[in-house]
Amino acid sequence: MEPFRVQIPQAQLDDLARRLAETRWPVGLPEAGWDRGVPVGYLKDLAEYWRTEFDWRKVEERLNAFPQFTTTIDGANVHFLHVRSPEPDATPMIITHGWPGSVVEFLDVIGPLTDPRAHGGDPGDAFHLVIPSMPGFGFSGPAPDGGWNTQRVAGAWAQLMAELDYERYIAQGVDFGSGVALVLGLQDAEHVLAVHLNTLVTAPGDDPADLEDLSEADQHSWGKSDTFAKILSGSMKLQATRPHTVAYGLSDSPVGQLAWVIEKYRDWADTRGGLPEDAIERDKVLAIPAIYWLTQTAGSSGQFYYESVDFLPISPGAGRYFELTVPLGVAVFPHAPFKPVRRWAEREFSTIQHWNEYDRGGNFPAMEVPDLYVAELQEFGRLVKER
């Protein structure tokens, strides 16, 4: 394992600014608000802000305030943050991001989770945190080969936690990371204390009765998931079937990369029909496409959809998993793109011991509602310790 610092060469930042300034914008698009995707006027304003006001060096400074490392696992470079708590009996936890996500999502919650005493909390709630970039994503860089799916990433995480000498730990996942956390709980059940998810896809079974007698809340949950599969999953379908074709535009145009990512933050975060920055500060949102662009991982990150297609909500059988043997906790944030139906989840998982539903937050809770995210994990941590 080698210490790592984020240090993007100035020449790359200058090239980014030049490309943003020379963007060839589409013409003749009908005015349709967000119904057909990101509006041109909004994106022009955001791209100009990215070029003239967004400060990448501040992102670097925040990242480099935490211990970071790289190592090689199964032939791939793996970047990770490793922040140990000052509390000696803290619970180890590995947190996995999703797409379009990054380790930068979690910067606001590292302090409260690792050192609750310094943030007015109970020192007994402390965690040692391991927050890796998945192979093909961000500072891990493009993966050297294909086959990096949910199962392979989970196997790499089990090896990473063993190399860090964590005998027992919690696996936590956001978006795609939830699938990784689930598989990690299956593959490394001897060492995984429990699994906690922010994202859980559920689906009715083959019996038509599954869709009968649903409560109003469950009807809303299923309707939201159905809307995602039919309308909001265009990027998922493209990357799950033709990731190479999509990669060319994303790798050559920073505005293409920006639009590809910013749409998801508008549709999947708690914007309530507003703008992405109504849910997350503009600079924090821009850090995400900036990382994909500067690390040249737009194309390689999209391969994860292709490799993990059987886990996707657009695939038949998604939401039907396996018999997990470790305790499972689920946090449901109302504005995420899909919401689980609890009775279907309990049919798939017999070990659900914790289930919270919140009235705010979406697919990126560590950035949108860091207070709820921290409190949720601390509550689950206490439950795990009581076992």
Side-chain angles (χ1 to χ4, degrees):
M1 295 185 182
E2 298 290 339
F4 177 84
R5 286 178 62 83
V6 182
Q7 294 176 308
I8 298 297
Q10 185 60 41
Q12 282 189 247
L13 301 179
D14 293 342
D15 176 70
L16 170 59
R18 177 188 63 79
R19 288 170 180 264
L20 288 169
E22 296 176 358
T23 298
R24 183 185 183 193
W25 293 96
V27 296
L29 301 185
E31 176 55 49
W34 287 81
D35 287 348
R36 300 191 184 200
V38 185
V40 174
Y42 172 79
L43 198 63
K44 282 184 175 181
D45 175 73
L46 189 61
E48 182 64 8
Y49 181 90
W50 190 6
R51 185 180 75 87
T52 61
E53 298 187 50
F54 175 73
D55 188 345
W56 168 255
R57 297 303 183 194
K58 288 185 177 179
V59 178
E60 283 189 341
E61 184 179 353
R62 289 204 70 202
L63 279 164
N64 290 333
F66 299 104
Q68 299 171 78
F69 303 87
T70 58
T71 189
T72 301
I73 301 178
D74 194 10
N77 184 63
V78 174
H79 160 265
F80 62 99
L81 281 70
H82 183 203
V83 187
R84 288 188 59 84
S85 171
E87 308 297 337
D89 61 346
T91 303
M93 179 164 62
I94 184 168
I95 300 177
T96 308
H97 64 80
W99 184 93
S102 163
V103 297
V104 79
E105 285 182 53
F106 306 102
L107 297 185
D108 288 340
V109 301
I110 290 174
L113 288 174
T114 58
D115 193 3
R117 186 194 302 266
H119 292 79
D122 184 345
D125 290 335
F127 295 96
H128 300 307
L129 293 183
V130 179
I131 309 175
S133 301
M134 287 197 290
F137 287 72
F139 302 110
S140 286
D145 58 359
W148 280 97
N149 56 16
T150 307
Q151 290 84 351
R152 191 172 177 187
V153 173
W157 284 188
Q159 182 175 333
L160 175 61
M161 295 303 278
E163 291 181 3
L164 292 172
D165 293 325
Y166 289 129
E167 286 292 323
R168 301 284 279 164
Y169 61 92
I170 293 173
Q172 205 276 327
V174 181
D175 190 80
F176 256 149
S178 291
V180 173
L182 278 173
V183 176
L184 185 52
L186 177 69
Q187 291 184 352
D188 199 27
E190 180 182 353
H191 300 106
V192 174
L193 283 165
V195 173
H196 183 278
L197 311 177
N198 290 6
T199 304
L200 180 63
V201 178
T202 58
D206 297 327
D207 187 347
D210 268 4
L211 292 172
E212 298 174 0
D213 301 322
L214 287 178
S215 68
E216 185 175 344
D218 284 346
Q219 288 178 22
H220 173 74
S221 296
W222 171 235
K224 193 171 182 64
S225 300
D226 194 44
T227 297
F228 173 83
K230 292 177 178 177
I231 299 174
L232 300 180
S233 60
S235 60
M236 176 180 289
K237 292 172 182 175
L238 284 170
Q239 292 184 128
T241 56
R242 294 294 185 269
H244 282 27
T245 305
V246 176
Y248 298 109
L250 299 181
S251 299
D252 190 57
S253 168
V255 163
Q257 176 70 88
L258 177 62
W260 194 241
V261 168
I262 206 69
E263 179 191 81
K264 310 309 174 291
Y265 280 80
R266 196 270 180 177
D267 287 344
W268 301 353
D270 188 0
T271 60
R272 309 192 187 217
L275 301 176
E277 49 265 52
D278 292 332
I280 306 167
E281 293 175 20
R282 177 174 274 198
D283 284 4
K284 292 180 180 179
V285 177
L286 279 173
I288 303 294
I291 287 172
Y292 282 97
W293 177 263
L294 295 170
T295 60
Q296 295 183 270
T297 53
S300 56
S301 62
Q303 303 298 314
F304 193 81
Y305 279 91
Y306 187 89
E307 302 287 3
S308 301
V309 66
D310 291 342
F311 271 81
L312 302 181
I314 57 173
S315 299
R320 301 174 191 179
Y321 297 97
F322 39 73
E323 187 54 39
L324 195 70
T325 59
V326 302
L328 176 61
V330 180
V332 182
F333 294 93
H335 298 279
F338 29 77
K339 293 178 65 178
V341 174
R342 184 168 184 173
R343 77 184 200 192
W344 296 345
E346 290 176 338
R347 178 179 59 201
E348 300 297 331
F349 299 101
S350 62
T351 61
I352 293 178
Q353 296 188 11
H354 172 88
W355 185 287
N356 272 339
E357 300 196 18
Y358 293 94
D359 61 0
R360 56 191 173 96
N363 199 57
F364 313 97
M367 288 197 294
E368 298 176 61
V369 286
D371 58 328
L372 297 184
Y373 181 82
V374 169
E376 166 68 22
L377 293 183
Q378 289 176 339
E379 180 182 347
F380 185 66
R382 289 192 292 271
L383 174 66
V384 170
K385 282 187 174 182
E386 290 170 0
R387 294 182 65 247

